[in-house]
Amino acid sequence: QVQLVESGGGSVQAGGSLRLSCAASGRTTSSYAMGWFRQAPGKEREFVASISWNAGRTYYADSAKGRFTLSRVAFRNTVYLQMDSLKPEDTAIYYCAAGPGGSQVGGYDYWGQGTQVTVSS
C-alpha cells in the first residue's frame, strides 16, 4: 500500500500562484510515476501533470503547459506542483496519484484525499 497526502490548496485571485505538495509513504517504488489530476464540479477527473520517479521526466496537459511546473524531491518522497498564472477555470479539487503512469485515471493505483484550489476572478 502507498499512502499519499496532499497539501497546499487554497483560494487565490486570478493571476496568482499556489504550490501543491504530495508526500508518499508506505510501499513506494521507483518504478512508479506520480501524477496530479483535478476534478471540477460536474466534470470528470482530468489529467494535469505527471513525473516519472526514476528519470524525473515530466508530462503536462495542454491546459497546464507553460503555467504549471511539476518537480520531485526523491529523498523526501515528495512531489510539488507549482501553479502560476492561475485562472478561474483552474478551480477544482486536485488529487495526487501514484502508479504505472500515463494521462488516464486508470493508470494510477493509489490516490490522495484531494485538496481544493479556488481561483477567483
Side-chain angles (χ1 to χ4, degrees):
Q1 289 288 338
V2 175
Q3 292 78 43
L4 303 172
V5 178
E6 303 108 329
S7 60
S11 297
V12 66
Q13 288 191 329
S17 299
L18 284 173
R19 189 178 79 155
L20 306 183
S21 302
C22 176
S25 61
R27 298 185 66 180
T28 57
T29 170
S30 59
S31 65
Y32 270 2
M34 300 286 288
W36 283 96
F37 288 73
R38 67 187 184 186
Q39 188 165 18
K43 295 187 176 182
E44 293 187 351
R45 193 169 296 190
E46 65 176 9
F47 173 77
V48 176
S50 65
I51 186 167
S52 61
W53 201 255
N54 272 341
R57 189 170 298 171
T58 54
Y59 304 87
Y60 297 94
D62 288 343
S63 59
K65 287 178 182 176
R67 299 188 301 126
F68 294 3
T69 304
L70 184 56
S71 61
R72 79 197 194 294
V73 177
F75 77 92
R76 292 179 180 172
N77 276 349
T78 300
V79 295
Y80 301 95
L81 182 67
Q82 177 67 39
M83 304 187 295
D84 299 317
S85 302
L86 283 162
K87 305 174 182 179
E89 50 263 43
D90 294 318
T91 296
I93 299 175
Y94 283 70
Y95 296 91
C96 177
S103 62
Q104 304 299 314
V105 169
Y108 297 83
D109 302 318
Y110 302 99
W111 294 82
Q113 80 286 354
T115 185
Q116 177 71 47
V117 170
T118 302
V119 184
S120 58
S121 57

